[in-house]
Amino acid sequence: MPRAAKPVLLLLPGLMCDAGIWREQIAALAAAHDVRVPDFFALDSIEAMAAAALAMAEGPLDVAGHSMGGRVAMQMAVMAPERLDRIALMDTGAHPVVEGEAEKRQALLDIGDRLGMDGVVSAWLPPMVAPDALNDAALMDDLEQLVRRADVGVLKRQTRALLGRADGFAQLKAIRCPAAFIVGDQDVWSPPEQHRQMQALVPGSTLTVIADCGHMAPAERPEAVTEALLQWLAQA
């Protein structure tokens, strides 16, 4: 008999990130899964990103989203719930736009306009990792190169998308497939307590808090993230 096709696993990147944020997970999971990573650089709405991800394959999908990618995954669960076999949400959030958020995001755009990606990397990246990670030269070099593959135009489009996002709490309540929440214990942008609140809205979901890890979990603690994803993928 012909061998069954591998299940399709979509790994959705976050703000200013591409497939590089998932490099270690792609290598670890590709033997058993058809791993695909969408490119969101040209898109400026969460809905368009979700549509682009859904168009990458036909049939059922396992979907894991990091940061902004988690917002996209939740949108996919609303747009095509019958397509998602599993959903994993990592270092992300569900709250709608809060007071003052637009101004804070505009401040980073202003830095980009004045100083280009050098300024963006210097201002945005350090708070995204655990404090100890700042001393890991190889990791920080990888992350800086990752962010520099974007440009200020990408940041502007994706900021527009995030400021136009839907209420994720309502989207979470619609999830009926096996769901996992994964977060670094030192993620100050999307902290563990936020993920506990999100998990409470999805019956039967799991929560994994990764030690010594900030917001950029797939790169900071790749082995722990891969193990959490393997456990999620094994859920019935």
Side-chain angles (χ1 to χ4, degrees), residues 47-97:
E47 292 81 1
M49 294 174 188
L54 287 166
M56 292 189 74
E58 297 181 353
L61 301 167
D62 297 325
V63 179
H66 172 251
S67 193
M68 180 188 73
R71 295 283 189 171
V72 178
M74 287 186 281
Q75 183 67 39
M76 293 170 68
V78 171
M79 290 169 61
E82 74 286 355
R83 297 278 311 279
L84 271 60
D85 278 354
R86 296 176 183 83
I87 186 169
L89 304 173
M90 185 184 309
D91 297 291
T92 191
H95 54 277
V97 175

Side-chain angles (χ1 to χ4, degrees), residues 142-223:
D142 282 348
L143 288 173
E144 288 182 11
Q145 290 185 45
L146 172 71
V147 176
R148 289 178 190 279
R149 288 198 290 271
D151 58 29
V152 176
V154 171
L155 174 59
K156 289 181 177 180
R157 286 189 289 275
Q158 294 188 344
T159 297
R160 189 155 54 245
L162 287 166
L163 290 175
R165 67 184 184 262
D167 181 351
F169 288 114
Q171 294 176 325
L172 287 171
K173 293 175 184 178
I175 293 175
R176 295 293 179 266
C177 59
F181 295 87
I182 304 167
V183 62
D185 66 343
Q186 298 178 48
D187 185 342
V188 297
W189 186 259
S190 305
E193 181 55 36
Q194 179 171 285
H195 287 70
R196 293 186 182 97
Q197 295 170 4
M198 295 164 66
Q199 185 204 8
L201 297 177
V202 186
S205 61
T206 63
L207 172 64
T208 301
V209 179
I210 298 177
D212 304 315
C213 184
H215 186 73
M216 306 299 275
E220 290 182 68
R221 291 289 179 262
E223 293 181 359

